[in-house]
Amino acid sequence: MQDWQRSVIYQIYPKSFHSHAGNATGDLLGIVAKLDYLQWLGVDYLWITPFLRSPQRDNGYDISDYYAVDPSYGSMADCELLIAEAGKRGIKLMLDIVVNHTSIEHVWFQQARSSLDNPYRDFYIWRDQPNNWESKFGGSAWEYEAQTGQYYLHLFDHTQADLNWDNPKVRDEVFKMMRFWRDKGVGGFRLDVINLISKPADFPEDDSDGRRFYTDGPNVHEYLQQMHREVFEGHDLINVGEMSSTRLEHCIRYSNPQSKELSMTFNFHHLKVDYPNLQKWVRADFDFLQLKQILSDWQTGMQAGGGWNALFWCNHDQPRVVSRFGHDGEYRELSAKMLGTALHFLQGTPFVYQGEELGMTNPGFESIEQYRDVETLNIFRLKREAGVNDVDNMAAIMQKSRDNGRTPMHWHAGHNAGFSRGEPWIGVPANAAQINVAHQLHDPDSVLHHYRRLIALRRSEALICDGVYRQLLPEHPQIWAYLREGEGERLLVVNNFYGGPCDVELPPVIDETQAQRLLISNYPDCPLRTRHLRLRPYESFVVHLTDP
Ligand code: GLC
């Protein structure tokens, strides 16, 4: 194992983290002001979602200048200060690189659109006729450009034009830009939808939305190996690829050190267990058996293939996990701790998304006027045009919108939850007065302290990093239990995912002859564990067992 494989990464959505200037949106100096908190929490890296110059149509995932900080976030000097101040606290920055597409305001696109023979024309993907692929944000993936009479490809919003990675000049520009940031001292990169960069040359029609043709596309591994040679090799960087709709065998290749591509991969299969028939925009309960089976299959598969998982429940594109797979009412704290434990004892690198460590919930915004996200607003409009009534439309949005995870961080119970003196760009949830950092810092039983313990355990318990994963009771409809096994020792991890108590009998993996050491639990009293367990609502614990 390499040292970085024991690290924990904290994700910051800077727009909603903390505003030093007292504006509607957060800023880089706002992050600097909170570095002591992050150091106390114990995290090793900060993944900060894009803060480079952007029209902010997709909150920074539409970059118009890769070499400049967006003025709403501050200046390049602020960024340098952030890197330096974080470094003093032993924390490194991971820059979010968005290179599947640029904003149409990027100078490359401005040039490209101006004429058919412009040298930048071939930086993007143009066709005389669109095929039937769909944008991930709804509608066609092609936009007509009247000036030159062709269509350009955009897998996301029409203001996010896909770059043509088959053009070597595009790759040269991307790698040059990444070296610029590497030389500024960032500790790694998070690569946005990086498995979508290679499209098949013939753009076939599809009987679905087209993703099977451009996901993990024909030259993607070759391009990432080139990135590795030109940017990563010989440098202390860790890199995580965001892999949209990917497959296990590709993630093994992306993250196995022998392929010389990336350090680890995000995949999203476990976060589609509340998408009936892969339909996101329908209100639905989650399928628990599917959830634990998917996570187990990825544990076993990545381990067997020498790959490395990025572990996460939450990010800026997902609803809050305690509202999703836990309980955001009376069992909020218990279930938030249980979910943290269930994830943090898996093999891989855990990501904690701002506010997750407090057990922040979905905000429950009931009116479309309270939403800001381009995807949510597109979907609302398209579904309304298709005749879906507003009640059903809103029910799905309240559960699934990305804005659920984008509300301001709760620092204290006062004005705007301590996020900003000014009026925030999106509403502050009503429960900020009860759920906030100031309150939880003083409560050793809080969700926050539980997360801090989880983070510390990853450094002190080697089995969390290298133990072999084995699922127990795979068919149990309420319990997710697993082992992390080593030589003569193992961790037993047991989680009740529901509010009902439960009697359960484990297979013979635990007996009186073993020495037991309780590592963490979410109930204060901790009797000696046996095979016969009576679990309370959302109860969760981890014991270290040593054979006699
Ligand atoms: C990724 C980002 C998401 C963004 C999309 C397009 O999925 O996480 O926020 O909208 O890529 O860049």
Side-chain angles (χ1 to χ4, degrees):
M1 291 290 153
Q2 300 181 48
D3 192 55
W4 70 263
Q5 289 174 298
R6 283 178 234 291
S7 52
V8 176
I9 301 177
Y10 187 90
Q11 185 195 347
I12 292 182
Y13 196 65
K15 193 165 182 157
S16 298
F17 192 62
H18 180 54
S19 172
H20 173 78
N23 291 335
T25 57
D27 47 34
L28 297 183
L29 292 180
I31 302 176
V32 173
K34 299 298 181 185
L35 286 172
D36 288 341
Y37 166 74
L38 297 166
Q39 183 184 23
W40 173 85
L41 190 58
V43 298
D44 305 282
Y45 288 83
L46 303 178
W47 156 26
I48 306 183
T49 66
F51 52 82
L52 304 182
R53 190 183 290 273
S54 155
Q56 302 292 330
R57 168 95 183 170
D58 187 20
N59 291 0
Y61 283 96
D62 46 333
I63 293 176
S64 57
D65 184 348
Y66 291 105
Y67 294 92
V69 172
D70 192 80
S72 66
Y73 290 119
S75 63
M76 190 58 90
D78 296 346
C79 179
E80 287 159 1
L81 180 75
L82 175 58
I83 293 173
E85 287 298 316
K88 284 184 199 161
R89 293 163 177 82
I91 299 175
K92 294 181 188 169
L93 240 66
M94 258 181 143
L95 195 76
D96 201 330
I97 293 283
V98 189
V99 285
N100 174 67
H101 44 267
T102 71
S103 163
I104 57 172
E105 292 184 21
H106 195 288
V107 62
W108 298 339
F109 190 85
Q110 293 296 315
Q111 289 285 322
R113 76 172 0 162
S114 66
S115 71
L116 290 171
D117 56 5
N118 186 281
Y120 286 95
R121 184 75 177 176
D122 205 22
F123 268 47
Y124 296 88
I125 298 168
W126 302 91
R127 286 289 175 277
D128 290 331
Q129 289 301 323
N131 67 5
N132 66 352
W133 293 3
E134 286 167 25
S135 154
K136 288 180 186 283
F137 289 169
S140 168
W142 298 89
E143 184 79 2
Y144 186 62
E145 174 59 45
Q147 198 167 333
T148 50
Q150 283 189 316
Y151 294 79
Y152 64 87
L153 180 71
H154 62 88
L155 294 181
F156 294 89
D157 189 56
H158 69 93
T159 62
Q160 295 165 297
D162 279 52
L163 283 165
N164 174 17
W165 273 70
D166 293 335
N167 179 350
K169 289 188 187 137
V170 167
R171 303 201 297 276
D172 287 348
E173 285 290 347
V174 168
F175 303 149
K176 183 175 108 190
M177 174 273 288
M178 291 175 75
R179 286 191 295 266
F180 168 86
W181 285 103
R182 180 193 73 194
D183 297 344
K184 280 236 173 272
V186 305
F189 299 98
R190 180 264 186 189
L191 294 151
D192 188 61
V193 291
I194 199 67
N195 65 329
L196 309 186
I197 56 176
S198 173
K199 282 86 176 172
D202 54 345
F203 288 87
E205 292 280 308
D206 196 7
D207 49 17
S208 179
D209 63 3
R211 73 180 65 196
R212 68 193 167 110
F213 294 115
Y214 59 73
T215 302
D216 304 315
N219 303 319
V220 64
H221 293 284
E222 184 191 317
Y223 296 158
L224 289 177
Q225 284 158 14
Q226 189 185 355
M227 182 186 285
H228 190 282
R229 286 193 303 276
E230 299 209 12
V231 186
F232 308 149
E233 201 142 271
H235 294 268
D236 180 21
L237 297 168
I238 68 169
N239 304 294
V240 54
E242 187 202 24
M243 304 302 174
S244 165
S245 302
T246 188
R247 293 210 314 268
L248 176 62
E249 54 268 38
H250 281 285
C251 285
I252 290 172
R253 281 178 72 185
Y254 293 129
S255 63
N256 184 317
Q258 284 168 3
S259 344
K260 294 187 183 286
E261 296 182 22
L262 303 173
S263 320
M264 57 186 144
T265 53
F266 286 118
N267 80 81
F268 297 89
H269 297 288
H270 65 297
L271 297 179
K272 294 185 178 167
V273 296
D274 51 7
Y275 294 7
N277 304 318
L278 289 180
Q279 298 276 317
K280 173 171 176 177
W281 295 103
V282 181
R283 193 181 170 84
D285 290 338
F286 78 105
D287 182 333
F288 171 65
L289 286 177
Q290 211 189 358
L291 177 71
K292 62 177 180 169
Q293 198 53 50
I294 291 171
L295 287 166
S296 297
D297 289 347
W298 279 80
Q299 283 292 297
T300 312
M302 288 290 259
Q303 193 152 48
W308 194 255
N309 281 301
L311 307 168
F312 70 109
W313 287 133
C314 299
N315 68 26
H316 63 291
D317 295 328
Q318 301 293 333
R320 292 287 180 181
V321 70
V322 71
S323 301
R324 189 176 195 179
F325 303 146
H327 189 284
D328 59 12
E330 65 175 304
Y331 297 128
R332 186 186 63 80
E333 291 181 63
L334 282 168
S335 65
K337 291 176 189 173
M338 180 280 289
L339 287 162
T341 300
L343 191 84
H344 278 245
F345 280 86
L346 296 175
Q347 186 173 56
T349 297
F351 284 68
V352 178
Y353 177 61
Q354 62 183 55
E356 178 186 341
E357 77 276 24
L358 308 174
M360 273 178 67
T361 66
N362 288 349
F365 293 157
E366 289 176 352
S367 152
I368 193 67
E369 273 74 50
Q370 291 170 287
Y371 290 84
R372 303 286 176 268
D373 173 30
V374 58
E375 181 194 34
T376 303
L377 301 178
N378 282 351
I379 293 293
F380 181 80
R381 179 176 48 79
L382 290 169
K383 288 182 72 169
R384 193 184 243 183
E385 284 165 11
V388 175
N389 70 64
D390 283 4
V391 174
D392 289 346
N393 211 349
M394 282 314 298
I397 284 173
M398 284 181 72
Q399 185 189 26
K400 303 283 176 63
S401 171
R402 305 194 296 180
D403 281 338
N404 282 312
R406 296 180 177 185
T407 58
M409 176 74 176
H410 299 178
W411 294 104
H412 56 64
H415 183 60
N416 291 333
F419 162 67
S420 176
R421 297 185 300 281
E423 187 60 23
W425 68 282
I426 189 169
V428 177
N431 59 16
Q434 291 81 47
I435 305 170
N436 59 67
V437 173
H439 184 232
Q440 296 195 22
L441 272 177
H442 298 293
D443 174 5
D445 290 331
S446 60
V447 180
L448 178 59
H449 279 264
H450 188 88
Y451 265 80
R452 186 167 184 251
R453 285 193 278 276
L454 289 173
I455 293 166
L457 280 166
R458 186 158 286 265
R459 288 247 161 232
S460 61
E461 298 294 326
L463 282 180
I464 301 180
C465 212
D466 52 28
V468 176
Y469 176 88
R470 178 146 70 94
Q471 193 188 182
L472 304 174
L473 310 171
E475 305 298 330
H476 199 290
Q478 179 164 355
I479 307 297
W480 184 19
Y482 60 85
L483 299 175
R484 299 294 309 283
E485 298 182 295
E487 282 289 313
E489 55 167 356
R490 73 209 62 163
L491 302 177
L492 169 65
V493 184
V494 178
N495 304 288
N496 179 3
F497 265 69
Y498 289 90
C502 176
D503 287 313
V504 57
E505 183 165 331
L506 294 173
V509 294
I510 177 168
D511 63 49
E512 325 62 70
T513 67
Q514 300 155 326
Q516 285 195 19
R517 186 162 52 93
L518 183 75
L519 297 189
I520 198 158
S521 71
N522 60 354
Y523 280 83
D525 50 327
C526 37
L528 212 64
R529 314 285 164 168
T530 67
R531 282 180 66 192
H532 309 282
L533 297 171
R534 161 151 291 199
L535 293 169
R536 291 162 283 187
Y538 293 101
E539 181 161 5
S540 141
F541 67 86
V542 183
V543 277
H544 178 278
L545 304 169
T546 317
D547 292 341

